[in-house]
């Protein structure tokens, strides 16, 4: 099980260095990413929240960097396209995140394990679904298809996988905090705090900024 972020190609993006990644690919998040890959992840997460402000939110800034980060730093309900990806190495079947349960909702998996209620991740034409039958979890790649591939595992295995996914997210957050200190001086603390909210994790301790 891997936390992944859905990526679009960084066409013309020049606010910080990013990696060349194919559009609509999934970037696994962990502490093993290169600086350019972290930059790509941060570009995508900020971009997911780059909608025009309205209501009582502060207006966007004229500066290009502050304008790009505006939604990430000011919106209450942050979003990140992606989620948790599960691969059965014995069959090659992969359960991908859907459109209705983003990376920010990854803790829904814990609630699913505890209460056993059906967990849906998308809608027609592709509807990934997680179901629990006693001590067995069934992950259906696309509930819209009667012959959809499935992955079956035990509840204990899923708890173990979730613990690993949380470690990967925590390692990525620490790596991104260090990246922000280098690439976003003066904005590192608020950006890291916002990223921690996206990932539903405690914000790491930050050294004082110069």
């Amino acid at each position: 099980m891997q936390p992944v972020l859905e990526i679009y190609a960084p066409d013309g993006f020049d606010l910080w260095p990013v990696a060349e990644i194919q559009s609509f690919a999934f970037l696994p998040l962990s502490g093993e990413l290169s600086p350019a890959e972290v930059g790509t992840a941060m570009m995508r997460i900020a971009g997911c929240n780059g909608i025009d402000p309205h209501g009582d939110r502060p207006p966007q800034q004229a500066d290009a960097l502050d304008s790009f980060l505006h939604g990430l730093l000011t919106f209450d309900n942050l979003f990140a396209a992606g989620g948790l990806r599960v691969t059965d190495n014995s069959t090659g079947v992969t359960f991908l995140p859907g459109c209705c349960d983003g990376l920010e909702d990854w803790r829904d998996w814990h609630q699913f394990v505890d209460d056993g209620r059906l967990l849906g991740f998308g809608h027609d034409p592709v509807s990934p679904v997680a179901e629990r039958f006693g001590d067995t979890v069934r992950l259906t790649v696309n509930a819209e298809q009667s012959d959809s591939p499935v992955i079956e595992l035990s509840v204990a295995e899923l708890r173990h996988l979730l613990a690993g996914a949380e470690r990967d997210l925590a390692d990525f957050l620490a790596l991104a905090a260090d990246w922000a200190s280098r690439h976003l001086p003066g904005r590192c603390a608020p950006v890291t705090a916002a990223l921690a909210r996206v990932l539903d994790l405690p914000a790491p301790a930050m050294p004082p900024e110069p």
Side-chain angles (χ1 to χ4, degrees), residues 1 86 108-117 130-139 151-164:
M1 174 177 274
V86 184
D108 287 354
W109 283 87
H110 282 291
Q111 184 175 349
F112 161 72
V113 169
D114 291 337
D115 63 26
R117 296 180 185 176
E131 300 172 277
R132 179 175 172 180
F133 303 93
D135 292 330
T136 299
V137 172
R138 179 181 297 160
L139 307 179
I151 296 174
E152 290 194 350
L153 67 163
S154 70
V155 171
E157 287 176 306
L158 182 54
R159 290 188 190 278
H160 176 73
L161 293 175
L162 283 171

Side-chain angles (χ1 to χ4, degrees), residues 4-73:
V4 295
L5 189 66
E6 186 178 4
I7 297 296
Y8 295 134
D11 185 25
F13 183 84
D14 60 0
L15 294 177
W16 57 72
V18 294
E20 291 296 330
I21 296 179
Q22 182 181 0
S23 282
F24 305 109
F26 285 100
L27 175 65
L29 301 182
S30 72
E32 303 299 321
L33 299 185
S34 69
E37 289 171 330
V38 176
T40 299
M42 296 301 294
M43 174 200 70
R44 179 59 174 140
I45 293 171
C48 283
N49 297 282
I51 58 178
D52 291 334
H54 61 275
D56 58 357
R57 293 190 178 105
Q60 286 187 328
Q61 305 297 309
D63 177 81
L65 178 57
D66 288 328
S67 177
F68 185 72
L69 295 173
H70 183 271
L72 180 66
L73 299 181

Side-chain angles (χ1 to χ4, degrees), residues 61-136:
Q61 305 297 309
D63 177 81
L65 178 57
D66 288 328
S67 177
F68 185 72
L69 295 173
H70 183 271
L72 180 66
L73 299 181
T74 62
F75 290 172
D76 294 328
N77 299 315
L78 297 174
F79 166 73
L84 300 185
R85 178 174 64 186
V86 184
T87 301
D88 185 338
N89 292 326
S90 65
T91 63
V93 174
T94 299
F95 183 87
L96 294 173
C99 60
C100 296
D101 201 77
L103 187 61
E104 75 284 356
D105 295 320
W106 73 271
R107 289 191 185 274
D108 287 354
W109 283 87
H110 282 291
Q111 184 175 349
F112 161 72
V113 169
D114 291 337
D115 63 26
R117 296 180 185 176
L118 182 145
L119 183 58
F121 299 90
H123 53 76
D124 184 39
V126 180
S127 301
V129 170
E131 300 172 277
R132 179 175 172 180
F133 303 93
D135 292 330
T136 299

